[in-house]
Structure formats: C-alpha cells, structure tokens
Amino acid sequence: MHIARIAGGSTATPSAEIIGAKAANLARMAALGLPVPPAFVLPVELCAAIVSGEAGARKKLEDGLREGMAFLEQATGKIFGDRRQPLLVSVRSGAARSMPGMLDTVLNVGCTEMAVQGLIRASGNPRFAWDCRRRFLESYADVVLSADGAAFAQARAVLAHAEGNISEAELDSEALERLARIYEKLIDGADLDLPDHPAAQVEAAAQAVYRSWTSDRAITYRKLQNLGDLQGTAVTVQAMVYGNRGLSSGAGVAFSRDPSSGRAEPVIDVLFGAQGEDVVSGSRTPDGEEAIVRAAPQAAEDLRARLVQLEEAFRDVQDVEFTIDEGELWILQTRAAKRTPRAALRFAIDLVAQGLITPDEGTARLADLDLAALVTKRLVDVGVPVAEGISASAGVAVGRVAFDSLSAEHLASTGTPVVLVRPDTSTADVAGFAAAEGILTAVGGRTAHAALVARQLGKPCIVGCAGLRVDPTTRTAILGGALLHQGDWLTLDADAGLLYLGQGRIEQERPEADLAEVARWRSQVAEIS
C-alpha cells in the first residue's frame, strides 16, 4: 500500500478515486502554491479492509502511518508528541465525492500530557495548550471511544457556571486544565481506553474515521444523493494549524460566491479563538468577513485573493475551509460549493459570461435541474415577522412545526408539509432535512455542514435565530416571544431570514430571462452538433 504525500512544491495530483476528493484537491492546491499544511493520505482501498477486519489490514495501516508520520516530522521540523516542539495532527475523512459532515474527523491528535508541556514551552501560551488538550479529549472520546457526549456537555456547563456563567471560549488556562482533568476522569470512569502514546492515538483515530463510512447518517446521505457506487473513504492525516492560538487566530469557511442566492459576492464565516469543527458543526453562530478585517487584515486580503484564484483554477464556485494562525492564512480544503437550484442557474450564466466555462459546459452543469419546474417563490399577506435569523439556503417554506427528525418524517409521510425546528444544525438530522419543507435553528452559521446539506437538498433554511428558544423535552419553542407547539403552522422567508407565525400564502414566478439564456445555449449546441 502506498501513501500519498502533500506538501508545498508538490506537483503530483493523484486521482480522487484513490485518495478521495478532499485530498486530491489539497494536492492540487499545493501544486498551485497555496498555503496548505503538509499531509499524507491513506487510500480509499484500505477502507473496506479495515471496516471488515480483513487479515493484514491493520499491518498495512500501521506501516502507512509510520511512513506518513516520518514525512510530516521532516516537513514540519516538529516531533509527534514531543516535549519541546510537538507535532499535532488532524485525522480527516474524504470520499471520491463530497459528503459534507457525514464522516468523522479527529483533531489535535498527539496532544498527550507531554505534548501539552511542549506546546506551553513552544508558544508561551498555557491557555492555548490546555485548549488543545481538552479539544483532543472531546473529539477522541466522541469519535473513537463513542463516549457519552451528554456527560461531557454537562461537565462543560457546570464548569462554565462555576466560573461565573462565562462562555467556553472565555475559560482561562486553569479552568481548561480542570476541564481536561474532568474529561480524563469521565473516560476512565466509563472504562474506556485513552492511550497517552501518540502513535496509538493516530492509529485508533484512523480506524474510527474509516469506520464512520458505515454510520447511519453516512448511509442515509449516500442513499439520498445516489452515491451507492462509492467504495469508501480515504483518511488524510495533516499537520495542525491553530485557530485557537490567540486573538489573531481563527477558523472559518468561505464561499467564493453566495451559494444560496447566486450573487457574485463571497460568503465568509469565521470564529476567532476556535478550530474548524466549531464553525462547521453549527453549534455556534459565527462572525462575518468584517471580523477578519479587524483582527487580521492581511489574512482578509489574502483570503479574497485565494478565493478568486481557486475559482479560476477549479472553474467553479468553491467552498473553502481555512484557518488563520496568528494572522497567517492557511487553506485546509476546497470543493465545489453545494448550491440551491436558483444559485446553480445564476452561477452557470455568470461563469459562461466570464469565459470560465463554455455554454456547453454550462448546459451540462444544469442537466440535473428540472428547469421547467424552476420557480422563485415569494410570500404575500404574511403580516409582521416575529423573529429574524441568518439565511443559509434561500427560498420560502410553509409547514407544521416538528422538533425532531422522526416527527418530521412521520408528519411528511401523511402528506403534511413540515418545518423542522432545532436548537442547532446537525448532520445527524439529514433524514429530517429530506422530509421537511424548511429548516429553522437557534444557532449556527451559513457555512455549517448542515446548512450545506440543506442547500444541496434545495431546502429553505434559516440559522442563528437569536429569538428562538427550543425545549426538546416539552416539544415547544419560544419564537419572538410567541409559544410554538409541535404541529403549529410556521412560515419561513429564507431569502430575507424572516419568520412568521401561521400559514403564509406563496406566489411563484419563473426566472424567464435566465431560462431564455440557457435555451439559447442549447440552441447553439444543437446547431454545432
């Protein structure tokens, strides 16, 4: 078995069928000279062998990891788990086609007790070091050990309350160390195995990421997207860069154009003092591009330039994950952006007009859209909105409220339109997304993985609604001061991010000018052929 190596100056770009689309795009970005942290890739072919426990599979995994980690140590000048200059890594999934948020990731692998001391020595920042440790324990316990997530959440809440009801991001180094010690006791008390050797950590993490191929949400997503031909996931092991290092460090997601409306303007979300999973999980509401301009102006300028470069190189609208480490921009991932049908039409027309793609290619990119049924919906006679959120996927929706995916599926099976209302966006709700007419969440951003899935499914979605408080236990919610019960009618205007009580009325109109342009392309193609 051969591993693929990715580092600045690389020129080879292996096939996505071999190393997954995520890693293939990383290799291409490295070849383009973009700032990509060095990485290596365990191939897709090993996935089935690991999942089934095939004889010899573990030996291949161990050999690949040993070779790959030696490469990363040489590329970074750091030592895995070292007490002076420790190398930490992320262990990420990646199938041949994008499955956003459906497979697992483990961050900060190698953050042993000894590595924590090394991070403190190297950075002079104990808070950063202990934040990496507690993040590693959370991630490893969840993905690798399948620990009780509720116990960890309760520990965080109790500690935050004891510190004066401050947020997790405001905990100081001593509090983060205490939290890490609590996590260690929870893991030990559940009789789970937490290795303190970095090689054992990365092997267990790689196995868990391979196993996530068979998770319920991944299987459901592949069925919904007709991806049954995919053979498995690759595993990418990449040197960590740190969005949680200091005031000028953060993590974010950027789209080179608006994937909801189709506007030719970037959509950028960022959380400072954070790592990538904080943004894409949908558990927090991020800031916009203006926050980067304030905290790291050079990184903001670089990001704009990289978005243009990536769109031109890949000849399509891009969805980019990035980290800013003490003001320096790093690109962690790029892929073709998931988009609403409305945005897909707009993108095709604009990219043809710019000369990035031909009319024939524009026509091909719209082949899966039912253009005859493509309409723009708008609400009329809905009264005064009761609350406002962030538009994550454009459109309007009217339906009865459901507070969980099972309820949404049940209501939809009776022919009732449904609006799924959740505290946050989670890819575990993918089946509920598919059943619902629209989605509303109290927190989360436009670039969370679940928002991407909503756009791909063509579902209107509003996130980060500060006026929404959901109580899953009583199946009720407060929206803009009004009490919502399961089954109540709710209306979403996801174009404007506005919420209305009751059953709104929808009118439709067709984008005639854009459709006429596509018809002209088809006529040109027919004449040539």
Side-chain angles (χ1 to χ4, degrees), residues 143-374:
V143 174
V144 181
L145 303 179
S146 300
D148 180 8
F152 282 71
Q154 183 179 15
R156 288 195 300 273
V158 169
L159 183 63
H161 179 74
E163 293 291 313
N165 287 323
I166 62 176
S167 70
E168 188 177 308
E170 295 172 307
L171 295 175
D172 62 19
S173 61
E174 292 181 359
L176 288 168
E177 181 178 0
R178 288 199 300 276
L179 187 57
R181 301 300 184 197
I182 293 169
Y183 287 169
E184 291 166 0
K185 290 179 181 178
L186 287 172
I187 292 169
D188 186 59
D191 200 26
L192 299 171
D193 180 28
L194 175 63
D196 201 46
H197 192 282
Q201 291 177 4
V202 76
E203 181 183 344
Q207 289 186 16
V209 171
Y210 272 133
R211 288 196 304 270
S212 70
W213 182 253
T214 61
S215 69
D216 288 344
R217 69 176 186 269
I219 292 169
T220 299
Y221 183 85
R222 290 198 294 275
K223 287 179 179 177
L224 287 171
Q225 297 299 317
N226 298 313
L227 298 177
D229 60 324
L230 295 181
Q231 299 302 304
T233 181
V235 172
T236 299
V237 181
Q238 188 168 36
M240 285 290 300
V241 287
Y242 302 102
N244 61 326
R245 196 191 292 265
L247 295 177
S248 60
S249 300
V253 176
F255 294 90
S256 57
R257 305 185 191 212
D258 190 329
S260 178
S261 69
R263 289 187 309 113
E265 273 295 314
V267 170
I268 299 172
D269 280 356
V270 67
L271 284 169
F272 279 90
Q275 292 188 347
E277 290 301 296
D278 298 328
V279 183
V280 300
S281 68
S283 60
R284 292 171 62 185
T285 302
D287 295 316
E289 182 182 13
E290 64 280 357
I292 309 177
V293 173
R294 290 193 303 269
Q298 185 59 56
E301 184 178 328
D302 292 345
L303 179 57
R304 280 268 182 164
R306 297 305 188 187
L307 291 177
V308 172
Q309 183 181 3
L310 285 167
E311 196 172 270
E312 291 177 350
F314 287 88
R315 300 170 59 248
D316 199 359
V317 177
Q318 294 297 292
D319 166 4
V320 178
E321 293 186 18
F322 65 90
T323 289
I324 300 168
D325 189 341
E326 293 192 311
E328 183 176 2
L329 177 70
W330 295 90
I331 306 297
L332 305 184
Q333 176 176 329
T334 195
R335 59 189 169 198
K338 306 300 182 188
R339 60 204 67 179
T340 62
R342 180 197 306 184
L345 178 59
R346 186 73 257 155
F347 290 162
I349 288 172
D350 287 349
L351 294 178
V352 168
Q354 288 178 234
L356 280 179
I357 62 175
T358 66
D360 196 8
E361 289 172 313
T363 301
R365 291 188 183 184
L366 299 174
D368 292 336
L369 285 184
D370 183 0
L371 294 180
L374 187 61

Side-chain angles (χ1 to χ4, degrees), residues 407-432:
S407 298
E409 291 180 88
H410 174 71
L411 276 173
S413 70
T414 67
T416 303
V418 178
V419 172
L420 181 63
V421 178
R422 301 287 292 151
D424 54 31
T425 48
S426 168
T427 51
D429 292 321
V430 63

